[in-house]
Amino acid sequence: MASNSGTFSVTAETLVGIDLARNLPGADRAALAGCCHGLVYEEGQIIVSPDDRDRAVYFVVTGSVRVAHYAGSGREVIFRELRPGAMFGELAAIDNEARSAHVLAGKQTRLVRIAQRDFLGLLERNGEINRALMTHLTRLVRLLSERVFEKDTYKVDARIHREILRQAEQNEIDNQAVIEHHSDERLAHVVGTDRSAVNKALRRLQREKLLDKRPGRMTVPDVAALRRLVESEEA
């Protein structure tokens, strides 16, 4: 396990926003909290890497993490960006195989860690958590399948629009969405293109009033309109 910058106490209240634990009864959530440790990471710190022997599972409490792989040239390929409530490390915990990617912290990232043994024991004892995990893994398979399909089917602009829509839908409130900690370079890595292509696509969205872009942040003023654009590209 990589070194962290600090720790904090985990309570049942800490876990309320965690997807896997949000539907647990209070007593079960408190029992889960007793097995967990709170860790603080600074931006850019490596949380897990492929050569780790540790098989713990992590939940994002605040901040964000990115799941990435590095080519021999050093090029970063981003698989996923995870926000508060999300989980990672579950695959290695389940099959006891090596980690499949690096996970790096974003700004102001606080994580909850549960050891592999405690996580597997929890799955054996709690049917609600088991069902939540199966739902999570199903969504993950669907997302990765969708990404492969998009890469082979859509032009770069359409892939960029779809990725922005995904992020917007995760943050949507009253048909508007704010996407924090945005980076053109990171978005390029996610969709498999270069930064200049992302810049051009975002400028076009700005001209069409579908996007407002500021340093480190994007605002989608009309998520429904962006969704209609994506649907028209699919057609």
Side-chain angles (χ1 to χ4, degrees):
M1 180 177 64
S3 61
N4 54 287
S5 299
T7 62
F8 63 93
S9 298
V10 179
T11 66
E13 187 66 25
T14 308
L15 302 178
V16 168
I18 301 302
D19 294 342
L20 203 70
R22 68 173 74 252
N23 293 323
L24 289 179
D28 287 353
R29 196 180 298 123
L32 173 59
C35 299
C36 295
H37 301 278
L39 304 172
V40 180
Y41 287 86
E42 300 296 331
E43 184 175 15
Q45 279 190 300
I46 296 175
I47 303 161
V48 300
S49 60
D51 58 354
D52 285 349
R53 294 185 178 181
D54 178 65
R55 298 292 182 267
V57 176
Y58 295 82
F59 304 103
V60 184
V61 179
T62 62
S64 64
V65 303
R66 69 181 188 273
V67 183
H69 187 72
Y70 294 91
S73 63
R75 180 175 179 270
E76 183 183 49
V77 179
I78 298 177
F79 297 144
R80 293 185 291 159
E81 295 263 4
L82 304 180
R83 304 295 180 185
M87 167 177 59
F88 63 92
E90 71 282 4
L91 299 183
I94 291 170
D95 66 11
N96 207 39
E97 295 293 330
R99 301 284 192 187
S100 57
H102 289 82
V103 181
L104 297 93
K107 292 182 180 178
Q108 301 173 338
T109 299
R110 296 165 75 237
L111 305 174
V112 165
R113 176 185 182 275
I114 179 170
Q116 178 189 28
R117 179 187 62 232
D118 293 329
F119 180 71
L120 295 179
L122 183 66
L123 294 180
E124 291 175 1
R125 296 190 305 272
N126 194 297
E128 185 65 39
I129 290 231
N130 239 315
R131 285 187 289 273
L133 178 63
M134 286 190 289
T135 299
H136 160 76
L137 293 175
T138 300
R139 287 173 180 162
L140 181 58
V141 170
R142 290 182 186 277
L143 173 64
L144 296 179
S145 298
E146 194 173 284
R147 285 266 173 83
V148 172
F149 174 77
E150 289 174 4
K151 189 74 178 292
D152 289 342
T153 305
Y154 296 113
K155 294 181 179 179
V156 170
D157 277 14
R159 298 205 305 270
I160 293 169
H161 298 161
R162 290 171 70 90
E163 181 58 31
I164 294 173
L165 178 61
R166 275 197 201 94
Q167 295 184 33
E169 289 177 335
Q170 292 172 4
N171 297 279
E172 182 178 359
I173 300 175
D174 296 331
N175 197 38
Q176 297 183 347
V178 177
I179 302 169
E180 301 281 4
H181 311 306
H182 166 74
S183 159
D184 288 2
E185 184 175 11
R186 195 172 299 167
L187 180 57
H189 290 167
V190 170
V191 301
T193 187
D194 55 51
R195 187 172 178 175
S196 63
V198 169
N199 280 328
K200 290 177 183 177
L202 297 187
R203 284 199 298 270
R204 280 191 287 270
L205 290 177
Q206 287 178 284
R207 287 196 298 270
E208 295 171 11
K209 308 299 183 185
L210 293 175
L211 187 73
D212 179 36
K213 184 171 177 287
R214 306 291 172 87
R217 166 189 291 206
M218 293 191 300
T219 300
V220 179
D222 187 342
V223 177
L226 179 59
R227 190 177 294 115
R228 287 193 294 272
L229 172 65
V230 168
E231 289 171 353
S232 70
E233 292 169 335
E234 290 176 354

